[in-house]
Amino acid sequence: MTMFLVRTAARTAVRTNSCRSFCVSHTQLSDRKGLVLGVFEKEEEEDEGTLHLTEAAAGFDKSLSGKLSELLKLSGPALKNGKSRVFYGLHKDFPCVALVGLGKNNAGVCRTENWDTSKENIRQAVSAGCRLLQDLEVSHVEVDSCGDAQSAAEGAVLGLFHYDQLKSKKKTKVTTQLHGSADVVGWEKGIVYAEGQNLARLLMEAPANHITPTAFAKTIEEKLAPHADRVTIHKRPQAWIEEQQMGAFLSVSKGSEEPPVFLELHYNGSPDSKQPPLLLVGKGITFDSGGISLKPSASMDAMRADMGGAATVCASIVTAASLKLPVNIVGLAPLCENMPSGKATKPGDVVKAKNGKTIQVDNTDAEGRLILADALCYGHVFNPRAIVNVATLTGAMDVALGSAAAGVFTNSDWLWEQLHRASVVTGDRVWRMPLFQHYTKQVTDSQLADLNNIGKYSRSGGACTAAAFLREFVKAPHWAHLDIAGVMSNKDEVPYLRKGMSGRPTRTLVEFAAGLAHNG
Ligand code: BES
Ligand code: ZN
Ligand code: ZN
């Protein structure tokens, strides 16, 4: 419904502005409209007072006979990148106008930052402006494209997201609309990308007693319902998982009272129904207590987001379906809890994966690789053109890169290039990590079995030994493992995401899938 309103509104022509004086009582407090407009930084050689308004801002300024630029100069120093300032009562249609700083014009792709600085600046500035207006309880905001409507829409929708489903007092719901630009297609694409990431954020943030494996699968099923013509869903129950001989997955789920679900999604977007699919596999631990190798209680609550891989993978498939991307995708999400109990797997137990390999489980907290092992084995039946698995797999990944980028371990230079290209566009970055035999040796040296679920030198290179373990279950020539533990949550590092679970790297997965669709 919201989507419908936004879309309809986006198609509405922007009203003719007027600078007649107006009466405040005409504008009801509850349905005040706001406007976000951009301003670039001056070039070094230019005078202090030089203003570079965007096209939309300049148009608005002109309709007010220069009143906006006059006030902007009067109100203080030039707006720095990402900073914003609100002006009240300038225009009868917009009681609140937020001016936002966009940094240097034409900053473009930065080769050292590995992202498009202009796009990032727009996301940051627009999100700051929208939030300021949301705090003022403005219920509808028109947004300047700032030269890139998709990035502006992403900034608006990502910036306004706030998880308050379970609170009595809610933040103001804000609807958004493109202002002063004809690029409605770019704007709508940005809305869909950002809503995809917000779906992953919602699933990750929600408490584990709400998002159980069963509830997760049901939510995704509901989100995909409008796309039933192109989507098939299987919610595989425990009996199916047993038939498939997924002993590694079952060794994790058996400690919990919540039944496991193996979620299987098929999105058939390609005109060629026989086209080999892209296979996306996501770790779906709806709560990771560590099992018998129990985690310390401090911050254990964050482990409700240990299904971030499944959330981002499923959300990207929902987004691909909304965008009608001409590509086939299969999504797999092994979903369960990792809990300690009398029935739980014990350190030293040996279990057998679907491909017959035996695994000594020396640490029950290294459970993600166990559930992914079986999902990866199974995924090969679809003869995929590429396999990408996504998982909040190791604390070591967070130590290595923090929240700057997701680690990519891949056996394919082609796949790396595709993922990297996508991440430069979205600003949700990836960084390549090694898959040396060095690490393989450390997981294949097990006292009782073919493999050990932790590396021989347990703390050293933890993200790399985990990746080496997964590799033992992959035969495909184009496979990538994304360790997203470091990017799972946001404090204030990504300015256009509030504090909380990040939903990263959903937009990068969507952009990557769109790239594959484009290249046939
Ligand atoms: N889910 C955790 C990894 C994690 C940590 C994700 C922090 C997000 C934030 C994973 O299951 C785990 O506990 N891994 C262990 C592996 C170790 C026992 C080899 C870890 O990283 O400590
Ligand atoms: Zn764990
Ligand atoms: Zn985990």
Side-chain angles (χ1 to χ4, degrees), residues 283 285 288-291 293 295 303 306 338 363-368 392-393:
K283 170 178 171 182
I285 297 291
D288 183 10
S289 71
S293 312
K295 284 183 181 293
M303 286 298 109
D306 206 22
N338 184 24
N363 192 320
T364 64
D365 196 12
E367 84 299 337
T392 48
L393 206 64

Side-chain angles (χ1 to χ4, degrees), residues 219-228 231-233 265 314 317-318 321:
T219 308
I220 294 301
E221 188 175 37
E222 284 166 6
K223 293 285 174 193
L224 286 171
H227 313 290
V231 173
T232 320
I233 303 169
L265 313 173
C314 294
I317 293 175
V318 171

